[in-house]
Amino acid sequence: MFASTRSTVRRRALAAAGTAAALALTLAACGSSDDSAMPGMQHGATPTATSGSSMAGMPGMDHAADGNGLADTEDGYRLTSSDSTLAAGRQTTYRFAVTGPDGKPVTGFALDQTKRMHFYAIRSDLTGFQHIHPTMASDGTWTAGLSSLASGSWRMFASFTPDSGSGKGKDFVLSRTVTVPGSAARTRLPAAADSTTVDGYTVTVAGKPMAGMAHPLTVRITEGGKPVTDLQPYLDTYAHLTAFHEGDAAFAHLHPTTKVDGDHGGPDLSFHAELPTAGNWRLFLQFQTGGELHTAALTLRVG
């Protein structure tokens, strides 16, 4: 399960159609897919001041957001929080709210892949990934329960769709940063490779996306060399796929296109990828078997 029709990236892709011949030459010469696993993974976008990105119409994909999630404000909607530091090495909570153009907390949110809010935490070196579905109080305050955080700088992303007001039906990804005190040793991003393993499963990615262009990706899941065909639905899809860009932690949600049909998904899953920037992207693929959620991390090189 590894960021809609209103996407800036899609507009760029359409604009690029007029230069298809030149782009074809570029595609032939550029791009590669690759990967490896990363420590600290756990389960649970448009820039301005400090943070959003999205899409629609495919199986398991209700929405997606415009931008890269590196701002805390977009179109009058703001991600607010009094938490600027969080404790290291233990479970903790992050409290936040989304305010609308009128400055009041938003309390009405549309369902997106069965949830009204998707929350992500990622360390600046792209370790420690957590995907959480927080709870909201009646006053619009959300609480995200976080597993142990390593010292360093973290970015907290909120992905949501208001169901009323000027932003009704628009997908937002906003973010803020927090500091986790202590000695922060940076983990080097694993080199790009086309496969990795997690919990005995091998995850292989095929596809060579180009920055600023829509491109298909295929994920194949095997176990002991045999195709996996018992994937269970998770968030209305067989795999949830999220990506973060090396260097700035820009956010992207890659949309599944494989139709869900009971508890027998796999081994091949298709995704619609629109990654706006060249370079290394760390992909986090979440899939479920036997009631257990697995998270695989892959490094993908985008040309």
Side-chain angles (χ1 to χ4, degrees):
M1 311 185 276
F2 278 61
S4 79
T5 53
R6 56 189 79 83
S7 168
T8 300
V9 172
R10 176 169 290 181
R11 291 196 293 271
R12 290 176 180 171
L14 291 172
T19 57
L23 288 172
L25 292 174
T26 304
L27 282 167
C30 301
S32 70
S33 98
D34 270 18
D35 255 279
S36 173
M38 172 179 286
M41 296 185 307
Q42 301 184 31
H43 162 73
T46 301
T48 49
T50 64
S51 196
S53 174
S54 174
M55 214 171 143
M58 298 179 184
M61 177 190 86
D62 294 330
H63 298 91
D66 295 327
N68 60 14
L70 296 179
D72 64 3
T73 304
E74 182 183 358
D75 293 350
Y77 288 83
R78 181 182 293 273
L79 176 64
T80 67
S81 177
S82 60
D83 294 335
S84 58
T85 62
L86 294 174
R90 62 178 176 82
Q91 292 185 340
T92 187
T93 58
Y94 181 77
R95 293 179 175 84
F96 64 96
V98 175
T99 58
D102 60 2
K104 298 179 180 179
V106 177
T107 57
F109 297 86
L111 288 174
D112 179 7
Q113 289 191 263
T114 76
K115 303 296 179 180
R116 300 191 186 280
M117 178 71 70
H118 293 265
F119 182 88
Y120 305 89
I122 190 78
R123 196 165 176 259
S124 61
D125 59 0
L126 307 188
T127 62
F129 169 80
Q130 296 186 43
H131 174 195
I132 297 161
H133 305 119
T135 58
M136 187 187 76
S138 59
D139 65 355
T141 300
W142 291 88
T143 301
L146 295 165
S147 297
S148 178
L149 301 176
S151 298
S153 177
W154 288 73
R155 186 169 287 276
M156 307 294 173
F157 293 87
S159 175
F160 61 91
T161 305
D163 70 356
S164 63
S166 62
K168 181 178 180 179
K170 177 177 171 61
D171 307 297
F172 293 85
V173 179
L174 306 178
S175 72
R176 297 174 63 89
T177 58
V178 300
T179 299
V180 178
S183 177
R186 187 174 183 84
T187 300
R188 184 175 181 178
L189 190 73
D194 61 7
S195 68
T196 189
T197 58
V198 60
D199 301 333
Y201 294 94
T202 298
V203 175
T204 303
V205 175
K208 297 182 179 180
M210 295 293 296
M213 299 182 67
H215 196 284
L217 282 182
T218 299
V219 173
R220 184 173 179 84
I221 301 176
T222 60
E223 182 181 22
K226 298 179 179 180
V228 171
T229 58
D230 62 347
L231 298 180
Q232 298 173 320
Y234 171 67
L235 301 176
D236 272 351
T237 184
Y238 284 127
H240 186 276
L241 183 57
T242 311
F244 299 88
H245 185 250
E246 182 182 24
D248 57 8
F251 173 96
H253 179 205
L254 285 69
H255 311 292
T257 59
T258 301
K259 184 177 179 180
V260 173
D261 181 22
D263 291 352
H264 41 77
D268 298 315
L269 305 173
S270 299
F271 293 85
H272 178 92
E274 294 185 61
L275 298 170
T277 309
N280 288 325
W281 288 79
R282 191 65 170 167
L283 273 58
F284 294 91
L285 179 80
Q286 295 179 285
F287 61 96
Q288 184 169 285
T289 58
E292 181 181 357
L293 186 65
H294 313 279
T295 303
L298 308 165
T299 301
L300 180 71
R301 180 70 183 176
V302 175

